[in-house]
Amino acid sequence: MIDLHSHTDQSDGTFTPTELVDHALEIGLEALAITDHDNFEGYRQVREYAAERGLELVCGIEVSSRSEWQRGSIHVLGYFPEGPAAGFCEWLEEIQVGREERNAKLAERLQEAGLDVTLEEAQAMGRNMTGRPHFARVMMRKGYVGSIEEAFARYLGENGSAHVPREEPKVSEVVGRIREAGGLPSLAHPVRLPFGRDLEMLDRVIGYLAGRGLSAVEIIHSDHTVQDTNAYQALARKYGLQVTGGSDFHGANKPNVHLGTGRNGNVQVPKSFLLDLVQSYKA
Ligand code: AMP
Ligand code: FE
Ligand code: FE
Ligand code: ZN
């Protein structure tokens, strides 16, 4: 089995890259993609470490984008069999700047709401990337909320009282940039799209993105039911796309999601997903 979706403490996971590789080996994964948000630092740190231990490590990324049709965020995974081309990382840095501006405003909003949570405290939790999950952890540590979920529901999420929207690139731009940089873009966890389980909408979105360079759809994910996976697989086939899958492991930031196996074993990704994906890249 393999896992093509995981996060380290270089974005909003809690495992160091080394701990993640060790854990992957422990549970017997054959291949692992590190797909941190907006940066490759985790992958870079353990590339050799993983190779020396016989784990196939895939260079990946997850980028949030703006839906072109309605409010809400669309996550796109990118896989780079030969690493990202020059220029891509500069583009990621622009995204990081937008995130930092949002974070500063978010800290202000939290303080206005009477919470003693500073930008510096959140930044101390996030290394290469500070995001809302880091604010959530500070809020938990200080006893303002009992869980990460509660922090999002009450304060940080779209309907939270301190919500600050972030400037995100359009989804077609993200797909195009990944493609141009030699990557294979995959539509992440379709179940979390702004329109939920509306398969007609999803059909349109996948059709549109397939015409703009989308390579794959993430059909297996911790949040997907068997029915979801089957429906997404049918759509991928309809548009001639590859399929990907992974747990979306975040360590203690998502305590019920396990590397390789997801929630209660609902994730099982065969090695063939990766072989077919790489094959499509060479073709
Ligand atoms: P950011 O990119 O800083 O806006 O934060 C987005 C990240 O927060 C996502 O990638 C998720 O990992 C996490 N997240 C978003 N919504 C929730 C939620 N309701 N509960 C827990 N984590 C969430
Ligand atoms: Fe995340
Ligand atoms: Fe995601
Ligand atoms: Zn993820």
Side-chain angles (χ1 to χ4, degrees):
M1 289 293 139
I2 65 171
D3 193 329
L4 296 177
H5 192 161
S6 71
H7 297 267
T8 74
D9 67 354
Q10 300 301 308
S11 69
D12 58 351
T14 59
F15 279 41
T16 65
T18 313
E19 286 167 352
L20 185 68
V21 167
D22 286 344
H23 189 44
L25 289 163
E26 222 170 72
I27 63 173
L29 288 183
E30 286 178 84
L32 171 73
I34 295 182
T35 53
D36 273 323
H37 299 281
D38 306 345
N39 81 90
F40 296 108
E41 207 44 51
Y43 169 79
R44 290 202 177 114
Q45 284 179 18
V46 288
R47 209 164 98 159
E48 281 170 31
Y49 183 83
E52 284 162 13
R53 284 156 184 79
L55 175 69
E56 182 175 354
L57 195 68
V58 179
C59 177
I61 194 126
E62 184 172 16
V63 180
S64 302
S65 67
R66 171 161 51 88
S67 161
E68 283 159 39
W69 310 277
Q70 60 193 124
R71 225 162 64 100
S73 196
I74 300 183
H75 292 187
V76 181
L77 295 159
Y79 299 102
F80 298 86
E82 295 174 69
F88 190 73
C89 295
E90 278 96 87
W91 177 66
L92 289 179
E93 274 161 33
E94 288 173 33
I95 292 180
Q96 299 257 21
V97 171
R99 184 185 282 287
E100 280 156 24
E101 288 167 3
R102 189 279 315 266
N103 288 346
K105 284 188 207 145
L106 181 56
E108 276 176 36
R109 294 288 296 271
L110 288 170
Q111 279 153 31
E112 283 162 18
L115 277 69
D116 174 30
V117 172
T118 66
L119 179 60
E120 291 70 26
E121 286 169 318
Q123 281 170 340
M125 315 250 1
R127 286 167 178 76
N128 269 288
M129 180 221 99
T130 302
R132 285 179 290 165
H134 302 106
F135 282 92
R137 285 191 78 78
V138 175
M139 290 159 73
M140 233 170 98
R141 196 182 64 212
K142 296 196 165 185
Y144 292 120
V145 291
S147 67
I148 307 258
E149 281 303 325
E150 189 188 342
F152 274 89
R154 286 178 58 194
Y155 299 102
L156 305 172
E158 288 225 332
N159 302 313
S161 60
H163 184 253
V164 180
R166 177 159 72 89
E167 280 290 322
E168 290 174 336
K170 284 203 306 196
V171 60
S172 53
E173 182 185 356
V174 173
V175 165
R177 294 266 187 177
I178 291 172
R179 252 300 162 100
E180 276 166 33
L184 295 152
S186 180
L187 181 66
H189 40 64
V191 75
R192 282 206 231 142
L193 286 168
F195 45 82
R197 287 189 161 91
D198 182 339
L199 286 174
E200 267 176 49
M201 275 296 293
L202 182 62
D203 189 321
R204 267 181 257 151
V205 167
I206 291 179
Y208 173 84
L209 292 177
R212 279 162 183 75
L214 188 71
S215 304
V217 177
E218 186 178 50
I219 65 166
I220 299 180
H221 183 273
S222 306
D223 292 347
H224 293 174
T225 64
V226 175
Q227 289 79 357
D228 292 332
T229 296
N230 290 339
Y232 303 155
Q233 182 161 36
L235 284 176
R237 196 173 294 138
K238 175 172 173 184
Y239 291 102
L241 301 175
Q242 300 298 315
V243 293
T244 68
S247 62
D248 205 358
F249 181 73
H250 280 69
N253 280 341
K254 278 191 194 167
N256 301 322
V257 173
H258 301 281
L259 187 67
T261 55
R263 271 182 232 275
N264 300 316
N266 69 345
V267 168
Q268 272 195 322
V269 183
K271 181 96 192 272
S272 62
F273 280 23
L274 179 59
L275 295 174
D276 291 348
L277 186 70
V278 172
Q279 194 63 43
S280 77
Y281 173 79
K282 288 179 183 150

